Amino acid sequence: METDEISFEDLGLDETTLAAVTRKGFESPSPIQVLAIPRLLNGDANVIAKARTGTGKTAAFGLPLVQTLRTESDHVRAIILEPTRELAVQTCNEMQSFTTGRFPRTVVVYGGASMGEQIRDLRRGTEIVVGTPGRIQDHIKRGTLNIEKIDYFILDEGDEMLDMGFIDDIEAIFAKANPASRILLFSATMPEPILRIARKFMSDYEIVEEEEATEEPLLIEQKYWFVRENEKIEALVRLIDISPDFYGLVFTQTKSDADLVSRQLDERGYEVAALHGDIPQSQREKILARFRSRKTRILVATDVAARGIDITGLSHVVNYSLPFDGSTYVHRIGRTGRAGAAGCSVTFVRPEERRKLAYLQSAVRKASKGEMTAGEIPSVDAVLEVKRNRMFNDVKKSICVPVKTESESDEVIPLEADSEVSVPQVISADPVFEKMASDLCMNQSPEKVLAAVLSVTYGKKLDRARYGSVASAGMSMPGQDTGNQMRLFVQLGRRDGYNARELADYFSGLLHIPGRMVDRIDISANFSLVSLPVSAGNKALDMLKHDKTLPHMHIDSRAGEGSGSDRRHEGRNRSDSEYRSRPARSFGGRSGGHSRINVHVPTERRGNAALYKRRASGAETF
């Protein structure tokens, strides 16, 4: 069925509903709307519709519902289950936007919001209830929601419901619903549990599916970058700055990572917000509203917090942390490149995660018909060149008005163009600024004055010092991490009163380096393993030779062995006796002229945590 030959009028919608369609700006129905709307309006069969997110499926069931349920009712006539509160709110708003009169009334219920307010909304009367499974069950148990007389039971994002473990909740809600109600199930995939629900509750049903929907690749571009953990923020900053109009989601594994990345970007002046499970619901809604309106350009989120977020027009999805499995990766990157639109995903991969990357690439190849390809972190020069060009073009557009050429074109001609056509006219400035310009240019070259003004205005944004270094992701040698890092054993552990943050602060104060440069900290009871830049590690070892009050430390000779994931937990599993028996490791420079440090660790501690902390902060002198 060719959708370009079909209009909304052909689907059986009446004039009132068509007016709502026009007001929404819909021009032609999507494939799933062509398949679903006539069946829901004219038939009585239960329907399973296979449809991806972003293809208009809310209108596919919403338009028939508002047309059918246009009169006031004394009981709920339709229930719509959504996997997340964000989707529930979004669907409710869409349903209300389809309604041109007083009815049908739509109420949304979800966890994290006021139960009392939801109860009042339900008691005022409603024809359609949209909600999450948990909160729907709460209202059914309280007696504030009765679904025994409903005419429609709609299960949206069925596969997502299963992934989130809602199968028991769904079955419990089905058991309370009118068994004669018409059931509509929308799902992006058709796993066996979905079909099992259909067989159990839907008796006879019809499956409709978009033609060739799975043939489209998920994204235009999928890149991965090898980058060390402590250099990820630098790589992210370069990605943002080199991408025109960056508008994207950044995925982290943990809430603390989401907060940290958001804070680091905010400190650098980016419009960013974090979203995770500890954010109150009222604040979540404000964050999402700002992100949808593009007042916030970057949203740093965990997988759980981002479930159900349906925001169009994203330019990028960034996997700041490598996802656990292929399905999580596909779900993340599916937030961009929707319904055939262009998009890009960039995945940060630590060098020790190469094996995991290979597995992920295989899963992605099967699931998304796409390919993850290696990319290079842009150089500072490349980023600055893009920023300079963008700023220069913005300035030209701001201060110049186009002039008509012989072809009556409105094109702005570059100021440096050497042609017979006149250059754009400079917009007239306020006399006050003209006087200031005249004073500044007195006995000065106008070009040099303008250059100075531009330097003052844009100099900080184009300052190379704004960017740090990113090391190459090659293979590491024993004692060194990839990216020119040194792995050190330090005789400070939990028994000395240290945790990872305090150990990072200790080395930051001792070596006068940012705490973020103290990486991959593994703490045992009596010792720790830390990674430092080679120059900082050598400085610490040199300080130890001259200052015996410092805790013992030496190069970890096993730092290059095994995979990175294995090494991360090595420090917790090794015994002190293993280190005491290890031979000394040399360092310092040319063979024959280097110093050696005895790595024997005495059984008694050399000092206490409070002493070292005071030493690092400069509060104690020796």
Side-chain angles (χ1 to χ4, degrees), residues 38 111 122 170 179 204-205 210 215 321 328 356 389 391 468 473 509 528 565 607:
L122 291 170
I170 292 170
D204 295 332
Y205 58 87
E210 301 169 280
E215 295 302 316
S321 303
T328 301
K356 189 174 180 182
N389 290 338
M391 289 177 181
S528 300
S565 58

Side-chain angles (χ1 to χ4, degrees), residues 40 58 84 142 167 176 187 233 236 265 326 346 408 410 436 456 469 495 556 576 586:
L40 302 186
T58 303
T84 67
R142 287 171 175 259
I167 184 66
K176 297 292 184 180
S187 182
I233 192 67
L236 179 58
L265 290 177
V346 179
E408 294 299 308
D410 285 333
M436 292 173 63
V456 170
S469 62
R495 291 181 182 176
D556 178 17
D576 289 335
S586 61

Side-chain angles (χ1 to χ4, degrees), residues 84-86 164 249 251-252 255 258 274-279 284 288 299-309 335:
T84 67
R85 45 196 167 191
E86 288 82 15
M164 297 179 69
L249 272 167
F251 282 98
T252 63
K255 300 178 232 182
L275 192 69
H276 53 69
D278 288 347
I279 304 293
R284 287 166 62 90
L288 287 173
L299 187 63
V300 186
T302 58
D303 289 298
V304 173
R307 283 191 180 275
I309 295 178
R335 309 309 177 105

Side-chain angles (χ1 to χ4, degrees), residues 253-365:
Q253 297 285 29
T254 66
K255 300 178 232 182
S256 59
D257 284 345
D259 284 332
L260 177 62
V261 173
S262 176
R263 183 170 65 252
Q264 289 176 324
L265 290 177
D266 180 68
E267 289 170 353
R268 296 194 185 208
Y270 296 97
E271 298 159 338
V272 61
L275 192 69
H276 53 69
D278 288 347
I279 304 293
Q281 179 60 26
S282 58
Q283 185 65 19
R284 287 166 62 90
E285 293 172 357
K286 292 178 182 177
I287 289 171
L288 287 173
R290 286 185 60 83
F291 189 57
R292 285 193 177 94
S293 64
R294 301 201 179 198
K295 293 178 181 177
T296 298
R297 308 284 301 192
I298 308 162
L299 187 63
V300 186
T302 58
D303 289 298
V304 173
R307 283 191 180 275
I309 295 178
D310 186 17
I311 296 174
T312 59
L314 295 181
S315 67
H316 288 76
V317 168
V318 180
N319 293 303
Y320 194 85
S321 303
L322 203 63
F324 291 117
D325 50 51
S327 61
T328 301
Y329 172 86
V330 172
H331 191 269
R332 284 182 180 183
I333 67 174
R335 309 309 177 105
T336 185
R338 288 185 170 183
C344 177
S345 78
V346 179
T347 300
F348 292 169
V349 183
R350 298 198 308 269
E352 63 266 25
E353 294 176 320
R354 293 175 189 269
R355 183 178 300 176
K356 189 174 180 182
L357 171 65
Y359 164 77
L360 197 61
Q361 285 178 293
S362 176
V364 169
R365 216 171 281 124

Side-chain angles (χ1 to χ4, degrees), residues 83 94 133 150 153 260 295 320 323 382 409 412 438 514 526 575:
E94 281 289 283
I150 62 171
F153 191 121
L260 177 62
K295 293 178 181 177
Y320 194 85
S409 170
V412 175
S438 176
N526 298 320
S575 64

Side-chain angles (χ1 to χ4, degrees), residues 464-510:
R464 294 184 64 87
R466 177 182 174 87
Y467 301 96
S469 62
V470 176
S472 60
M475 298 302 292
S476 58
M477 297 296 291
Q480 285 188 308
D481 287 327
T482 305
N484 206 28
Q485 288 263 317
M486 178 182 289
R487 190 75 164 156
L488 288 183
F489 167 98
V490 185
Q491 194 190 351
L492 286 177
R494 287 193 297 271
R495 291 181 182 176
D496 298 293
Y498 274 83
N499 57 30
R501 174 56 63 85
E502 290 174 329
L503 202 59
D505 291 342
Y506 171 75
F507 277 103
S508 174
L510 180 69

